[in-house]
Amino acid sequence: MNTRPNTPPSTSPSTAPRTVFLLAHTGRPAAVRSAELVVLGLLRSGIGVRVLAAEAADLPLPPSVETVPEATPDVLDGCELLIVLGGDGTLLRGAEFARASGVPMLGVNLGRVGFLAEAERDDLDKVVDRVVTRAYEVEERMTLDVAVYNNGDLLHTNWALNEAAVQKVAPERMLEVVLAIDGRPVTGFGCDGVICATPTGSTAYAFSAGGPVIWPEVEALLMVPIGAHALFAKPLVTTPDSVLAVEVEPHTPDGVLWCDGRRTVTLPAGARVEVRRGSVPVRLARLHHASFSDRLVAKFALPVSGWRGAPR
């Protein structure tokens, strides 16, 4: 994970037009109210706002807000920041825009945990102020490149910020798989699935499946079995340059691949899923310098009342 201060454009901030893209879960009343507050705050400071036309219809926005047709790779052209208001699903949707455009994403959590978010709904005034003054830093988060093969033929490619999960389809049947690291088989078993995750994803699905929490600064890949029937079915942590593979046995029922719980493809029996470090990171805007330890405690409400301070 690389972190650096936000660098203003080479042109003078007083003369260069500034535009922020806003993405919101308009099905949430809290998101609609939050979007209105953020938009009005930015417009008062002379910063333009752009939204998707489909979302603009559900938001009480001034006429000066720019609308664009349904999502295309270039909808963030000319934008310096992507602000996302919503829960984990909306934040992952925003990550798709951020990766495609290279524009940093600033998430405001309106859901439950929201590890990808940098602010909570009570921080909206602070969010607007930091955006206006460019008082934020940008860090890069590792992604995954995912490829599906069958009989040596490439069937499908995808990507993930959190995880690529190979899972069973039939609830009454286990998925028989063989795991491999860097081209060498490691173990095989029947299971409900296998998760391949980034450090960012270690606090998401992989965490629920019993995987370790990995600090975002650590460059590594993570493989976590789900409901495996085996003695050796522990989470594996590898180098960031490793290639993780999950092979679906030929005699097993079809499986399914989910990337970030949003993009999916069927895995025929005998398919091989290869996961490696992604070639394109996702850039996140950060407002705080709080350690990941503090973030972990806050998000999971961990008990730390007995701590007496660092040794002296």
Side-chain angles (χ1 to χ4, degrees), residues 174-179 186-195 206 208-212 222-237:
M174 286 191 300
L175 194 67
E176 299 288 340
V177 300
V178 176
L179 309 185
V186 174
T187 187
F189 41 64
C191 61
D192 291 340
V194 179
I195 300 168
S208 300
L222 174 62
M223 182 178 274
V224 182
I226 309 171
H229 287 236
L231 291 176
F232 185 81
K234 300 296 183 181
L236 303 176
V237 180

Side-chain angles (χ1 to χ4, degrees), residues 58-135:
D58 298 323
L59 297 173
L61 301 177
S64 58
V65 172
E66 178 187 359
T67 60
V68 292
E70 203 51 48
T72 58
D74 60 352
V75 292
L76 270 76
D77 285 358
C79 294
E80 67 177 70
L81 196 66
L82 165 66
I83 298 180
V84 181
L85 308 173
D88 290 330
T90 309
L91 292 168
L92 286 171
R93 179 179 172 225
E96 295 175 353
F97 284 81
R99 177 180 178 271
S101 64
V103 174
M105 179 179 79
L106 174 57
V108 178
N109 180 38
L110 304 180
R112 297 180 62 188
V113 180
F115 255 97
L116 286 174
E118 181 61 10
E120 303 296 323
R121 71 181 68 187
D122 294 335
D123 300 327
L124 291 177
D125 288 342
K126 181 186 296 184
V127 168
V128 172
D129 180 68
R130 294 292 189 89
V131 172
V132 170
T133 60
R134 291 189 173 94

Side-chain angles (χ1 to χ4, degrees), residues 115 199 201-204 206-207 210-216 218 222 237 292 296 300:
F115 255 97
S202 71
T203 53
F207 178 82
V213 173
I214 301 177
W215 264 235
V218 177
L222 174 62
V237 180
F292 182 72
L296 199 66
F300 288 133

Side-chain angles (χ1 to χ4, degrees), residues 148-155 250 268-272:
V148 180
Y149 297 89
N150 193 28
N151 296 322
D153 296 327
L154 179 63
L155 298 183
R272 173 186 176 91

Side-chain angles (χ1 to χ4, degrees), residues 237-261:
V237 180
T238 73
T239 73
D241 298 319
S242 292
V243 178
L244 314 184
V246 181
E247 293 186 352
V248 180
E249 293 276 41
H251 60 273
T252 198
D254 289 354
V256 63
L257 169 69
W258 283 95
C259 291
D260 286 338

